[in-house]
Amino acid sequence: MHRRYVKVLEDVLDANSTIAAANREDFERASVKVVNLMSAPGAGKTSLLERVLARLDGVRVGVLEGDVQTALDADRIASLHVPVVQINTEPRFGGECHLDANMVRSAIPALPLDEIDLLVIENVGNLVCPAEFRLGEHHRVMVASVAEGEDKPLKYPLMFRACELVLVNKIDLLPHLDFDLERFLGNLDAVHPGVDRLLVSAKTGEGLEAWRDWLVAAAVREASRVA
Ligand SMILES: Nc1nc2c(ncn2[C@@H]2O[C@H](COP(=O)(O)OP(=O)(O)OP(=O)(O)O)[C@@H](O)[C@H]2O)c(=O)[nH]1
Ligand SMILES: [Mg+2]
């Protein structure tokens, strides 16, 4: 019984990988690089996009928003005059806690791929499932906010291993928290040695120039080996 469950899961992930490869082909045909942005709910994905998307130095960017319900995040991005498409996983996909390749495939016709160089996909807030489902992206980034505790790399290692960049957000809150930044970074290196990391605050703007520069470079960088 247990073995059958594992087999079903393997089949689901295999089917997802096939569709992700088709998505990747569509993105490459349109010369669009794709970043999959993941985190726990509320770590600051949308806030970190809002702060940089409007000043990407000539890089034409679009956003695909994934949420269980609402278009709240898409509305925030649209107010910056950035093209945005919202996927709600609740009505059509049963309230999934992650985006999968098929959901992204269903959104591709609505995306202005010929008018953008970079597509950022904001995944559903979750530290487990999004890391398992490839979408056809070239780059994977996660946000870990200091409010979540320094043990998270140890408890959710796949997410921290699956990314090439970790944005450590909400560092403005450090004086108010019992968060040991050195211990967090040690835990991060224990599960993904040497992974790139940026200390940022979407509230104060600290570190956002480096995040912006990273996104600008992602528009031309080759796909990461972890994507
Ligand atoms: N103090 C502080 N608050 C922040 C920072 N970044 C985001 N927030 C706040 O954290 C909350 C969640 O931010 P969002 O950007 O919506 O987080 P998210 O990851 O997009 O959330 P979901 O899409 O729901 O998973 C909001 O109240 C933000 O104002 C930060 O750097 N410092
Ligand atoms: Mg969001």
Side-chain angles (χ1 to χ4, degrees), residues 184-195:
F184 172 83
L185 296 176
N187 291 341
L188 181 58
D189 280 325
V191 301
H192 194 163
V195 62

Side-chain angles (χ1 to χ4, degrees), residues 45-46 65 67 73 76 122:
K45 298 178 294 301
T46 311
E65 278 291 344
D67 281 297
D73 285 1
R76 288 165 65 184
E122 181 182 337

Side-chain angles (χ1 to χ4, degrees), residues 4-98:
R4 181 175 299 174
Y5 171 76
V6 170
K7 177 80 175 76
V8 169
L9 187 61
E10 283 171 0
D11 287 350
V12 167
L13 290 176
D14 279 355
N16 186 75
S17 296
T18 303
I19 301 170
N23 290 347
R24 174 79 81 91
E25 278 176 25
D26 285 358
F27 295 140
E28 296 200 337
R29 202 173 301 116
S31 300
V32 173
K33 287 285 190 323
V34 181
V35 174
N36 181 2
L37 183 61
M38 301 178 280
S39 81
K45 298 178 294 301
T46 311
S47 302
L48 287 166
L49 290 177
E50 286 176 306
R51 292 296 301 256
V52 298
L53 285 188
R55 44 194 196 96
L56 287 186
D57 276 353
V59 172
R60 300 170 304 164
V61 66
V63 174
L64 182 57
E65 278 291 344
D67 281 297
V68 175
Q69 283 200 358
T70 81
L72 293 171
D73 285 1
D75 291 345
R76 288 165 65 184
I77 299 297
S79 71
L80 302 170
H81 307 291
V82 169
V84 57
V85 173
Q86 176 83 52
I87 295 177
N88 281 142
T89 66
E90 207 277 329
R92 294 183 56 199
F93 300 101
E96 298 291 345
C97 56
H98 59 274

